[in-house]
């Protein structure tokens, strides 16, 4: 007797989840379908099956701006690569110091680091802009990359500290008895063991930097230096009412790397937020 | 070796003693450990000084000046509290921005958290395809912050957009959502709620930590599903709810990209999407009133700090820590 209600409840739950999943996916699918539709069809129906498929939007979009869209993809890739390397090196070094070294002022610095996790960038953006423009760094990628080389993404320092604390200290001791100094212990013992934390950092840095709009908008004003988000938004500016399809096509292109990162790194993404996020 | 082997972190609790290395002797080794500490910490220390602390102080100083980015530093004038006075008494855009931002956070954050918790409860039990659903619901929180998705969103809620066509199927006549000051902010809220996946994943991790015995005991006592939710799930999950609330509130206050794309950088129509950070950007980087923008930034920082303090003080009344520790 009790089986029937349970089965139907489970069926209802599944149906609900599938419906919700469709609602969640609708904007993404609509974007992809719109990128394949002729311009005069995009705004006519909510449906997701195009009457005719045309790939020409992609060609049009690729060449619609001052430089081919690939140029902006490369710019974004350079920024992302710089930020990933910066975060991996600087945050892991800071995390090793916080988790394993006993130095004067450690507690104070650690508290300061936690305090900066939620610090909005808007509070420092004006003086930072002045600083970087005094250094003549506007319209270079340096204002975007150099802060990462200086471990300003405290979130990742914290994530790595948490991870290193979970590694057995006996490993360090053993290496020390073998005569290894701190640089050696860090490079040979700790780093190889913290690959999962490094992977989480890589994938989050990748996605956040790729999507970041605020600082790229401020520091990159020369169209030659535009990254993908800034280039895409100049699309909105320049679009004559007829090239919607091209704009959606480039939107799809710009989200592809995120989508791939999600597929490859889903495990690390989910575990990453779960570990840092939890009590 | 999974990352979940890391011990649970006490996020907002201050310096939870990162396990000091055993102190070996005095003098030599101790000094060497100090040296190593500062060497490893040097990039972070440099960043703390150069990128964070000094710019923060500079921004505080600039907030008392009329610096406008066009004239040289030597002509910067100290104008005392003038920027703050203007802001509070004679700049309507400031109050518009405050109203828009607070409205946005007050509505979007609770709805986003409710969606996240609701779906997390549905996905908490293992069933076939649960991983697929989790990924599916999580994906929007990765895509949603991008310019590309903001563009898609704005066009979906155009007068001729997909949303209105959908309503048309049911015979409902829609509004020009993004161009209508009565609805434009709601469009942005919908985009924020659509990204409930990130807090959902955190809720899921929290739900996994609740001991099954508690539910068994409650069920033996005759508690139905609703009662179990109220008496077991909610209190046990309250630290995680609290964490998500703080995080999402602070994030909610900082929304920028979608508002910028929707309004083409103006905060329109009629200031209806003038999020605080967008106003700050306009003042500082469009109108180049950088002194004034610094004052805006400091008011923002103080407001966020105050809200966090208020959240923490109310948290004492409803956040339950299993270890009984008073935080």
């Amino acid at each position: 007797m009790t089986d029937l209600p349970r089965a139907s409840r489970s069926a209802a739950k599944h149906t609900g989840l599938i419906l919700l999943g469709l609602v969640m996916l609708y904007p993404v699918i609509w974007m992809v379908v719109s990128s394949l539709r002729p311009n005069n069809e995009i705004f006519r129906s909510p449906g997701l099956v195009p009457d005719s498929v045309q790939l020409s939007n992609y060609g049009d979009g690729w060449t619609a701006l001052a430089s081919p869209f690939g140029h902006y993809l490369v710019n974004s890739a350079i920024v992302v690569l710089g930020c990933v390397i910066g975060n991996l090196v600087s945050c892991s070094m800071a995390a090793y110091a916080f988790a394993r070294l006993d130095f004067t002022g450690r507690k104070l610095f650690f508290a300061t680091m936690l305090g900066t996790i939620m610090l909005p960038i808007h509070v420092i953006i004006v003086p930072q802009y002045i600083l970087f423009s005094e250094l003549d760094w506007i319209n270079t990628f340096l204002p975007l990359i150099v802060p990462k080389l200086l471990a300003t993404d405290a979130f990742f320092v914290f994530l790595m500290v948490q991870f290193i604390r979970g590694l057995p200290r006996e490993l360090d001791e053993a290496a020390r008895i073998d005569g290894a100094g701190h640089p050696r212990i860090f490079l040979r013992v700790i780093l190889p063991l913290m690959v999962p934390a490094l992977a989480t950092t890589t994938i989050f840095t990748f996605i956040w930097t790729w999507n970041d709009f605020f600082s790229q908008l401020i520091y990159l004003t020369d169209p030659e230096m535009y990254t993908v988000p800034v280039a895409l938004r100049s699309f909105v500016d320049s679009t004559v009412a007829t090239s919607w399809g091209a704009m959606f096509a480039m939107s799809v292109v710009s989200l592809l790397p995120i989508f791939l990162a999600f597929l490859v790194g889903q495990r690390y993404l989910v575990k990453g937020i779960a570990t840092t996020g939890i009590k | 070796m999974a990352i979940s082997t890391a011990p649970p972190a006490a996020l907002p609790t201050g310096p939870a003693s990162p396990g000091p290395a055993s102190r070996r002797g005095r003098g030599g080794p101790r000094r060497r450990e100090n040296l190593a500490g500062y060497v490893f910490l040097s990039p972070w220390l440099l960043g703390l000084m150069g990128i964070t602390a000094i710019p923060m102080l500079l921004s505080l100083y600039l907030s008392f000046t009329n610096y406008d980015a066009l004239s040289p530093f030597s002509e910067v004038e100290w104008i005392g509290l003038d920027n703050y006075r203007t802001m509070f008494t004679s700049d309507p855009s400031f109050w518009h921005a405050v109203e828009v931002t607070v409205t946005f956070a007050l509505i979007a954050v609770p709805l986003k958290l409710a969606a996240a918790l609701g779906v997390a409860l549905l996905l908490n039990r293992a069933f076939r395809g649960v991983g697929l659903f989790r990924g599916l619901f999580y994906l929007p929180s990765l895509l949603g912050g991008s310019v590309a998705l903001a563009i898609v969103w704005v066009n979906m809620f155009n007068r001729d957009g997909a949303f209105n066509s959908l309503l048309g199927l049911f015979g409902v006549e829609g509004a020009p959502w993004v161009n209508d000051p009565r609805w434009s902010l709601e469009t942005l809220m919908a985009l924020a709620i659509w990204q409930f996946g990130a807090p959902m994943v955190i809720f899921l991790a929290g739900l996994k930590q609740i001991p099954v015995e508690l539910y068994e005991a409650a069920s033996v006592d005759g508690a139905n599903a609703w009662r179990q939710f109220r008496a077991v799930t909610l209190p046990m999950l309250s630290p995680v709810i609290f964490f998500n609330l703080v995080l999402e509130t602070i994030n909610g206050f900082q929304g920028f990209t979608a508002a910028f794309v929707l309004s083409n950088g103006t905060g329109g129509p009629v200031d209806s999407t003038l999020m605080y950070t967008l106003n700050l950007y306009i003042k500082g980087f469009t109108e180049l009133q950088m002194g004034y923008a610094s004052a805006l930034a400091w008011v923002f920082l103080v407001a966020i700090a105050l809200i966090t303090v208020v959240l923490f003080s109310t948290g004492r009344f409803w956040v339950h820590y299993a270890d009984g520790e008073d935080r």
Side-chain angles (χ1 to χ4, degrees), chain A residues 13-14 17-18 20-28 30-31 43-46 90 93-94 96-107 109-114 116-132 134 146-147 149-152 157-159 161-163 165-167 169 173 176 182-183 186 193 196-197 200 204 207 211 213-214 217-218 229 232-233 236-237 244 247-248 251 254-255 258-259 262 266 269-279, chain B residues 1-11 14-24 30 33-34 36-41 43-48 50-52 55-56 58-59 62 67 73 119 122-123 125 127-128 131 133-140 142-143 145-149 151-153 155-156 158 160-162 165-166 169 194 196 198 201-202 205-206 209 239-240 243 247 250-251 254 256-257 260-261 264-265 277 280-281 285 290 293-294 297-298 300-301 304 322:
Chain A
K13 177 170 137 181
H14 269 82
L17 281 172
I18 289 169
L20 184 63
L22 286 176
V23 173
M24 295 292 286
L25 270 188
Y26 181 84
V28 180
W30 187 76
M31 168 180 70
F43 290 114
R44 254 192 299 158
S45 77
S90 67
M93 284 173 67
Y96 179 73
F98 281 129
R100 283 296 203 255
L101 296 172
D102 186 19
F103 54 91
T104 318
R106 193 198 62 213
K107 284 190 174 179
F109 286 135
F110 189 70
T112 312
M113 187 272 292
L114 287 181
T116 59
I117 287 185
M118 297 308 288
L119 187 77
I121 186 189
H122 315 93
V123 182
I124 49 174
I125 191 70
V126 168
Q128 221 187 65
Y129 181 86
I130 298 169
L131 169 74
F132 289 142
E134 288 294 311
V146 168
L149 280 166
L150 300 178
T152 48
V157 178
F158 177 70
L159 181 129
V161 168
Q162 291 306 110
F163 194 87
R165 280 187 198 165
L167 301 175
R169 205 173 271 275
E173 295 297 333
R176 202 190 320 274
H182 286 297
F186 172 65
L193 288 174
T200 303
F204 270 115
I207 291 175
N211 279 345
F213 180 56
F214 186 74
L217 175 74
I218 282 172
L232 254 187
R233 110 101 199 153
V236 185
D237 254 355
W244 300 110
M247 188 173 72
F248 288 125
S251 297
S254 82
L255 289 180
I258 302 284
F259 193 70
F262 167 73
Q266 204 193 344
L269 284 166
V270 168
K271 282 189 173 140
I273 38 178
T275 356
T276 30
I278 222 73
K279 34 176 192 162
Chain B
M1 167 71 50
I3 193 170
S4 53
T5 53
L11 217 206
S17 173
S22 53
R23 286 169 200 236
R24 277 151 288 94
R30 171 79 182 136
E33 182 114 345
N34 253 337
Y38 290 124
V39 168
F40 273 96
L41 211 57
W44 178 83
L45 276 170
L46 248 166
L48 178 72
I51 308 287
T52 311
M56 263 180 87
L58 248 175
S59 128
L62 286 174
Y67 182 59
F73 268 116
V119 177
L122 285 179
L123 295 183
R125 301 264 166 73
F127 58 88
R128 203 181 308 158
F133 278 117
R134 194 184 54 201
L136 187 78
F137 294 139
Y138 179 58
L139 183 64
L142 299 179
L143 304 178
S146 65
V147 168
L149 218 111
I151 290 176
V152 169
W153 204 264
N155 284 295
M156 265 177 51
N158 257 342
D160 309 319
S165 319
L166 203 68
L169 293 183
W194 183 65
F196 69 76
V201 171
I202 298 177
Q209 312 233 324
V240 184
F243 174 83
L247 201 72
I250 295 178
N251 282 341
Q254 297 181 39
F256 176 81
T257 304
F260 187 98
V261 171
N264 217 350
T277 54
L280 195 154
Y281 171 84
F285 294 92
M290 292 195 160
S294 301
W298 268 86
F300 189 55
L301 179 68
I304 287 191

Side-chain angles (χ1 to χ4, degrees), chain A residues 43-124:
Chain A
F43 290 114
R44 254 192 299 158
S45 77
L48 295 179
V49 185
D51 302 335
S52 53
V53 168
Q54 58 167 44
L55 286 170
S56 64
N57 284 334
Y58 283 81
D60 295 347
W62 193 265
T63 54
L65 298 174
S67 310
F69 205 76
H71 183 80
Y72 310 117
L73 289 169
V74 170
N75 282 352
S76 267
I78 295 171
V79 173
V80 165
L81 189 70
C83 289
V84 168
I85 292 173
N87 270 346
L88 287 179
V89 173
S90 67
C91 296
S92 64
M93 284 173 67
Y96 179 73
F98 281 129
R100 283 296 203 255
L101 296 172
D102 186 19
F103 54 91
T104 318
R106 193 198 62 213
K107 284 190 174 179
L108 178 70
F109 286 135
F110 189 70
T112 312
M113 187 272 292
L114 287 181
T116 59
I117 287 185
M118 297 308 288
L119 187 77
I121 186 189
H122 315 93
V123 182
I124 49 174

Side-chain angles (χ1 to χ4, degrees), chain B residues 93-116:
Chain B
S93 70
F94 168 75
W95 288 111
H96 274 297
V98 169
E99 190 192 332
V100 166
T101 310
V102 170
T103 312
F104 177 84
L106 275 181
I107 299 177
V109 171
L111 288 178
K112 184 179 185 180
L113 290 184

